[in-house]
Every structure is written in structure tokens, then in C-alpha cells.
């Protein structure tokens, strides 16, 4: 019996557990302090009314023999795939229902999609990065090449013709930096991928935060992306489904490699290692995509946008460089006074009782930067910004 | 870019799609016929009242900021892991909450657990078999060795000291044969695995159908199994969760290989490639495991048991050899008149309008056998048995 030894190459400790430990220690030492977290990327607004109503109605369906739903299609119910297709259509992207796969979340799909690729591929990953891209490839022993995201390139690295890569991770709006690629920039990535025969894994989990119409919400807004990209998206941030769990992945029919359809391979993977998403959850997700549901979700998104604006306005007033915020729930700020990320974390916690996420935890290019999120309540975000302003 | 070429070794067509095609063709040719399916292993009884109530109450939680649940623990909420621990305790098995992992279903975990093992391992799989065991290993390119399950060994193959295997699949009560290992038999498997340093992947999805107290419901009823086995279980059949989706996997702390804890590896896998099960679904699963929920589920299980008894009584009266039924929702019958599995399928469909599953679809040793399930309604099962008796 041999285990997968690649697991032993993974770093043991995790960014957020170190954050949690430090916060717990601070709270113990200062039981009176009112700690505000602008750290972890979880939402705080409840599910919209349409989603709750649909969950309840589907739960009642499950309690009656005539309306009971057993095994559903592994790919997701047609009613939800149709709603997702129409949602894409609402911003001008045409995808086929057969290209849409419903899952329990983008994190699962981003990990599981790697089943389709040989372990011999080279993977191109931005630094700083959402750690899942790196860890999932390390688990399979793939060679990883990093591209530098820096203040100089606005944390939006562009293709380097000298770098040979087969699998390319792009996340826009980006986690952790909040930076958003333009159409022209994504076009360059599509050209690079096509030239190399590479596949772009495009994480669009934060697309609903894009306000500027000129910015692309899907890689499939780019011509020819359907021959070189897979897109991952989620109801987590659009509709507060972080605990209700539903996402979707689009694998275009035109995406062929070595003569095989990646869409058909993914269908085979999902029908072999997955049994579809909970029926009540799919009904709730479909309710989110009705006109009424989308309007309700926009109310929640507006709260997060106001928080983001309050944060960026504060940083602007303080003369602190930052990206994100306008089209993203994340604000990526330079640490004041040339502090390291962890020094700033400690300073902010000890003097301001504010929790954020050290940029260096997302990769070496994150050193000296810090991530704040707009997912808190309006009251807490306002309080935190008042404190921040007084501190520096 | 290289794809995972192992996908090209998978058989294209799937047993149940061929069954579905034949049934569709029959229905088109005989629109008046009342076709009864005793084929696919899906339940027909609705969720129990406790589960529905919990789903509704959790949906309401998700609609209020004060009770909203965002990201939960990847391993599952403590309230559900505690309930599962107590459920195990009710039949005398002691597992630790930290050894229990909640997931969206046993199929996902049975596929994903393979991430933990090197591709160089040899896999031992019974034939006939639930196709997922075979396909998931073929996707990773592992060498597969089959053990013959036959009428002679009661479809319960025992270890052969001459066979070298690292990963061993056991399913008891078995899908598709309904056969159930005794404690003494499982003890022999545990001894074989320990001697070889192998790991047993024990599929206990049908444990709740076991009526005879002398038969083991968990591999962990066997001494020392915690040093060589992982167990997969599910709410699908116990509580009709096939469409609601919740399962659990037990990876004992004592299970070490090459110095690594498989429990810790699985924790790392799940926290990297999974984001936990929907909160309302976990609440429903926990409600199933209350005294009230279990009593309600027993009512449903009794319906399936009566169906199974009706099927086995019919086969007994007809003098047809079979396994399963008493402690399993599956009845595995020898085809009458030396028919092949597909010949019997065609005959039963064309003359009796009854749908079952050809045994040969589960592997070459299934040839000449046929699977019936007890998951239909009582009315349909009774009708189908009347028809069967008249046909032969």
C-alpha cells in the first residue's frame, strides 16, 4: 500500500487558522474589546426571500410521495441549467444547457476538474493566489509556475511568451486582490492559451460584483474563449449561498484536447464521482435567478458595495494605495509605513481590534499588502473605518 | 496539454442507459402497457416528517441575519457528527466525532477517497460490482484484480492469500447481490488486510436493511478493523435522501500507512476540495437520527422490507435460486430456464412489462442473474410479482 506522497509536500498550517489563533489570543487578553472582522470572505446577509420560499416549498415536495424527488441528473436539473443559461444571456453570453454543470460549489469543481488532466502538465498560477489552486495541483504532483502579480502590474499579470504552461488559473474579480481584468487583457490570455493549446481555468465567483459595464463578467465574453477555457461560478457570493452550497461550471463543447471533449470527460467524471446537488438547494438557486430573486440579491449586493466604497473612500482619504472594492468585495491595500503584512495585522488587531488578512498568506508577492472584505455589516464596517482613520 | 488518457479506457455506454433505451422503445410500441420498474435503486417513499420539519426550519434560519449560516466546517457540523456517533453507538460501535466526515453522499466520497492513494496500488474488486468502484480506479490507471462472486460462494467472495492487493472494496449488504457478510467472514478480510497492509473500503450504504442481529452493520464491529478500514455510509437508503443528498465517511485515527494518518489526509483533502454540506440538509440529517426520526424512517424501511419479502416469497414459490431480500433492498435471482441476463430482461419486459436490471451489467459473474429492488410501491411490487408468477 502506497499513499499519495504529494500530500506530504503540502504546508501544514493554513493562513486562516493562524489568524484565528491570534484573534482568540487577543480576545482572551482583552475580553472587553469589540473585535471587528473584515477578514474571512464569508457573507453576512441572509438568503433572499425568494430563495427561502423555494427551499421551504421544495422541502414540502420532499415530504409527499407525489412530489418527492429522488436521484436527480448528476449534471443538475434542467430547470436550473435553463435559468443559468438565461442568466448568462442577460449579460450577452450564450452558453448551451448541455455545457452547464451544477455542483455543490465552485471549490469542489475547481479541485475536481483536475481529474481530467494528466499530472505531467505545467500549471501557471498567479501569486498572490487563492490557496486552493496551488494545493490541489500539489496534491497531484504537477509542476507549478508562478506569475508575479505586483503593484506595478496592478496585480493583473499578463502572459509571458517565454513561459510554457498547460493549465492557467485566472480569477477575475480576483481573490485576494479585487483586481479585474479588462476585455483586452483577457483577449491576450485567450490568444496565449490558444497558441499553446493550454486550458484556462477561469474563476468567476465574484462576477456579480462587477459594476462597470466595460469589464467582462465571463471569459466567454471573449471571442474564441470557448475553445480554450472552463469557467467556474457560484451562488455563494451572488446570493449568499456560502452555507447553502450551489455552484456551476461551464465546459464548452468546443473545448477539445488530444481529440477528447473535455465537456464529455467532465460529464463522465461527475456521473461517476458525484450524484447531483440537493433538490431543495437547486430549487432555491433557480429562485435566485428569477427577476424577483435577482432584485432581492441586488439589495444585498448593494450593502456590500456600500461597505466597499466606505473602505476605499477611507483608504483614499488616508492616501493608501489599493486595488479592488469598486467591482469586487475585496479591497487589497498596501500596508502603511512599510510594515510587513503580519506586522500590520498585529498592529491593527492590537490597537484597533480590527481583523483583516495578511497579504503574504496568499503568496510572496502579497508581502506588504493586506486584504479587507466588504462582507461585514454596515455598522461594523463603518466603525472599523473610523478606527482605522484614527490609528494612522 | 495532456489529458488524463485513462478516461479513454472507460466503457462508453452505461448499464442503466441501455435499460432506459429498451424501456422507452417498449413503451413507444406498447403505449397501453403498465410498465413496472423494479430496476433502478432509487427510493419512492417521501422524506420523513422530522426531516421535512428540520429542512423548513433551517430554511427559515437562512432567511434571518441572526440565524443565518454561512461557510460551515468542511467536515460537517458538530451537531450532525455527534448524532452520527450516537447512531453508531446504538448498534455497539464506538467512533470518535473527529473520525466522522459528513459529505453530499457516499458516491462522492467513494470516488474522492482515492486521491489519498498512489496510483501504483493494486485494487481488489468483487465481480459483479457497483460500477463506481471499477470506473473510479480506471480513471486513475490503477491495476484492478477481480474476485469472483458466484452462486457457489453465495456471492460473498473470501480472501485468497495468493492475491496481492492494496485497496479492497467490500459492500455489505451488497449492491447488486443483496448478500451480507457474517462477522466471521469480515474478520477474515480484516486479517488479510492487516497481513498485507492493505486498506478495506467498506461500503455500508445499505446497513439499515439488516434485520438479523447476528450480522454486522459496520466493519468496525470487527476487532482491529480500525487499523485497516474506511467506512462509507449514507442517508440515501436509510432515510430516502437520494435527492436530498447527505452521507458520511468514517476514517479511524488508528489508520496509518507509510507513517501518515489517512484521517488527517482526508481532512486535508476535504478542506481543500470541498466546502461542507448544505446547512439545511445537515439539519435534516440530524433530525433523521433523533428517536422520532428513526421511528419514522423505520416505517418507510418496513414498506421496502415487505416488498422484499413479497419478492423472495414469490421466487421461493417458483423454486428460483436467489440471494438478498431479507437484510437488503436488493434481490439477486437466477434467470429461469438458463436464460442470459439480457434475454431474461427482454422476456420480462415484453411479456410482463416488468423492468429489472441484467446481472451481466455488473460484471461477467453476473451473467445468468438478475437484480430486482424492493424500492417500488407496495401496489406495484405486488402486481409485478403476480405477473411474474403467471409468466413462469
Amino acid at each position: 500500500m502506497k499513499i499519495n506522497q504529494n500530500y506530504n509536500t503540502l504546508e501544514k498550517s493554513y493562513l486562516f487558522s493562524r489568524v484565528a489563533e491570534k484573534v482568540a489570543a487577543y480576545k482572551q487578553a482583552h475580553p472587553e474589546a469589540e473585535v471587528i472582522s473584515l477578514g474571512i470572505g464569508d457573507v453576512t446577509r441572509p438568503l433572499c426571500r425568494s430563495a427561502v420560499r423555494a427551499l421551504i416549498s421544495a422541502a414540502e415536495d420532499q415530504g409527499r410521495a407525489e412530489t418527492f424527488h429522488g436521484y436527480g441528473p448528476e449534471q443538475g436539473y434542467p430547470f436550473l441549467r435553463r435559468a443559468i443559461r438565461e442568466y448568462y444571456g442577460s449579460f450577452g453570453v450564450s452558453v448551451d444547457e448541455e455545457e452547464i454543470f451544477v455542483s455543490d460549489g465552485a471549490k469542489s469543481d475547481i479541485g475536481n476538474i483536475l481529474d481530467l488532466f494528466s499530472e505531467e502538465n505545467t500549471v501557471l498560477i498567479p501569486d498572490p493566489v487563492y490557496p486552493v489552486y496551488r494545493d490541489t495541483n500539489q496534491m497531484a504532483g504537477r509542476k507549478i509556475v508562478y506569475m508575479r502579480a505586483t503593484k506595478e502590474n496592478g496585480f493583473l499579470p499578463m502572459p509571458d511568451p517565454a513561459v510554457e504552461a498547460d493549465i492557467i488559473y485566472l480569477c477575475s474579480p480576483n481573490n485576494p486582490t479585487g483586481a479585474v481584468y479588462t476585455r483586452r487583457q483577457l483577449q491576450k490570455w485567450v490568444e496565449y492559451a490558444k497558441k499553446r493549446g493550454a486550458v484556462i481555468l477561469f474563476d468567476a465567483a465574484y462576477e456579480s460584483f462587477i459594476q462597470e459595464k466595460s469589464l467582462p463578467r465571463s471569459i466567454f465574453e471573449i471571442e474564441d474563449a470557448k475553445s480554450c477555457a472552463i469557467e467556474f461560478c457560484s451562488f455563494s457570493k451572488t446570493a449568499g449561498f456560502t452555507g447553502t452550497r450551489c455552484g456551476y461550471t461551464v465546459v464548452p463543447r468546443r473545448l477539445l484536447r488530444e481529440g477528447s471533449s473535455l465537456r464529455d470527460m467532465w460529464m463522465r467524471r461527475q456521473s461517476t464521482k458525484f450524484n447531483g446537488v440537493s433538490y431543495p438547494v437547486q430549487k432555491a438557486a433557480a429562485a435566485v435567478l428569477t427577476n424577483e430573486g435577482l432584485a432581492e440579491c441586488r439589495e444585498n449586493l448593494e450593502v456590500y458595495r456600500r461597505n466597499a466604497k466606505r473602505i476605499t473612500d477611507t483608504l483614499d482619504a488616508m492616501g493608501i494605495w489599493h486595488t479592488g472594492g469598486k467591482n469586487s468585495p475585496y479591497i487589497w491595500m498596501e500596508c502603511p509605513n512599510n510594515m510587513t503584512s503580519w506586522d500590520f495585522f498585529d498592529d491593527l488587531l492590537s490597537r484597533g481590534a480590527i481583523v483583516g488578512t495578511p497579504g503574504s498568506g496568499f503568496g510572496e508577492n502579497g508581502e506588504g499588502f493586506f486584504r479587507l472584505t466588504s462582507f461585514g455589516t454596515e455598522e461594523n464596517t463603518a466603525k472599523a473605518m473610523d478606527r482605522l482613520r484614527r490609528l494612522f
Side-chain angles (χ1 to χ4, degrees), chain A residues 352-367:
Chain A
I354 300 170
V355 179
T357 312
S360 56
F362 298 102
E364 59 180 48
N365 291 297
E367 181 59 275

Side-chain angles (χ1 to χ4, degrees), chain A residues 99-126:
Chain A
E99 300 176 318
I100 298 168
F101 294 80
V102 176
S103 80
D104 60 309
K107 191 178 171 191
S108 299
D109 285 2
I110 286 171
N112 294 335
I113 198 82
L114 293 171
D115 277 21
L116 273 44
F117 303 111
S118 162
E119 288 157 14
E120 293 165 40
N121 292 302
T122 297
V123 180
L124 184 60
I125 289 179

Side-chain angles (χ1 to χ4, degrees), chain A residues 69-84 97-104 109 235 246-249 263 266-267 270-271 274-279 281-283 285-286:
Chain A
H69 284 68
Y71 290 122
E74 287 97 348
Q75 201 183 343
Y77 277 104
F79 68 75
L80 179 53
R81 287 188 280 127
R82 193 178 318 126
I84 293 168
E97 281 170 41
E98 290 301 307
E99 300 176 318
I100 298 168
F101 294 80
V102 176
S103 80
D104 60 309
D109 285 2
F235 292 93
C246 197
Y248 48 97
T249 290
R263 184 262 164 211
W266 183 240
M267 182 73 215
Q270 291 299 80
S271 52
F274 184 59
N275 236 332
V277 172
S278 181
Y279 164 74
V281 172
Q282 290 193 59
K283 289 297 271 188

Side-chain angles (χ1 to χ4, degrees), chain A residues 37 39-45 206 236-237 240-243 245 304 330 371 373-376:
Chain A
S37 177
I40 293 178
D42 200 356
V43 298
T44 51
R45 307 282 303 166
Y206 303 97
S236 283
K237 305 303 158 67
F241 268 50
T242 51
R245 310 301 315 139
Y304 300 138
Y330 296 121
R371 190 188 78 172
T373 87
S374 61
F375 289 127

Side-chain angles (χ1 to χ4, degrees), chain A residues 190-264:
Chain A
V190 167
E191 283 161 19
Y192 170 80
K194 279 180 60 187
K195 191 175 277 178
R196 285 209 42 83
V199 171
I200 295 172
L201 303 181
F202 192 79
D203 185 345
Y206 303 97
E207 59 80 20
S208 62
F209 285 84
I210 291 181
Q211 300 190 74
E212 289 173 82
K213 293 256 184 267
S214 65
L215 294 172
R217 289 171 67 173
S218 163
I219 187 126
F220 300 125
E221 295 188 34
I222 310 303
E223 208 188 320
D224 270 352
K226 284 189 181 166
S227 67
C228 67
I230 294 172
E231 180 159 293
F232 305 90
C233 203
S234 170
F235 292 93
S236 283
K237 305 303 158 67
T238 305
F241 268 50
T242 51
T244 305
R245 310 301 315 139
C246 197
Y248 48 97
T249 290
V250 177
V251 191
R253 282 192 187 285
R254 280 172 53 199
L255 184 55
L256 310 174
R257 287 296 179 273
E258 297 192 298
S260 288
S261 155
L262 293 185
R263 184 262 164 211
D264 292 350

